[in-house]
Amino acid sequence: MIAMSDALSSNFKEECEEEVIACCLAHGRRNFVKIITNFPEDCRKVLTAIGTIYHNEKLSKEAGHTPEQRLNYHQQNSRPVMDELKAWADDQIENLKTEDNSYLGKAIQYLRKHWTGLTQFLYQVGAPLDNNQVERALKKVVLHRKNSLFYRTAKGARTGDIYMSLIQTCQLNNADPLDYL
């Protein structure tokens, strides 16, 4: 089983031998997006490397690869990119090219600290690059919970729940919710 999440320690329970811990590459990327105006060269290097990984993922999907073929494809095409990124990150910190407690240093340290989880897609069949699909689904639940605070009655809340369920089901099945309703 592959457990995928951001790298918050609260998201991980005690390790289980049958479980592979993977971390969301999009969360590692996000740290550099936030600081690109302050460190444009360094951030572009990281963002370009991660962009290459996502491009490789897209090419693998377009080619219709099986999970095993996808793993081999990433090992051949994405591993060199990730190895170069790791070497750069290590060099930045170990040779004091980047201050540890700067925003860039913290973003680099995030990558280094969670490297094994961030690179599971290179070692584990079926390991995803990120958990964006799940996070998008959870955002809808959170938004509905927030909106449901304003229902006046229990019957209104139940009706809202039914509509939310129908809308989500339509979207998961690539149907237009407005047409369906």
Side-chain angles (χ1 to χ4, degrees), residues 47-65:
L47 296 174
T48 299
I50 293 174
T52 301
I53 303 306
Y54 277 92
H55 180 71
N56 290 342
E57 177 76 0
K58 179 183 174 192
L59 293 176
S60 178
K61 282 182 182 178
E62 288 173 353
H65 289 158

Side-chain angles (χ1 to χ4, degrees), residues 91-110:
D91 181 55
Q92 292 296 305
I93 299 300
E94 291 168 5
N95 293 319
L96 305 176
K97 295 179 179 178
T98 300
E99 184 77 28
D100 273 1
N101 62 353
S102 69
Y103 290 118
L104 179 61
K106 289 176 184 178
I108 292 171
Q109 289 289 31
Y110 181 94

Side-chain angles (χ1 to χ4, degrees), residues 67-86:
E68 291 81 11
Q69 290 171 324
R70 175 186 168 268
L71 175 64
N72 290 332
Y73 185 82
H74 275 299
Q75 287 176 339
Q76 290 173 0
N77 297 289
S78 299
R79 179 178 271 150
V81 176
M82 292 302 282
D83 289 345
E84 185 180 323
L85 180 59
K86 176 77 163 102

Side-chain angles (χ1 to χ4, degrees), residues 112-137:
R112 294 179 75 215
K113 182 177 180 183
H114 304 292
W115 191 257
T116 302
L118 292 169
T119 58
Q120 282 300 319
F121 70 95
L122 295 173
Y123 307 104
Q124 190 69 36
V125 173
L129 296 180
D130 56 45
N131 59 346
N132 289 346
Q133 184 177 7
V134 172
E135 287 194 14
R136 277 191 294 275

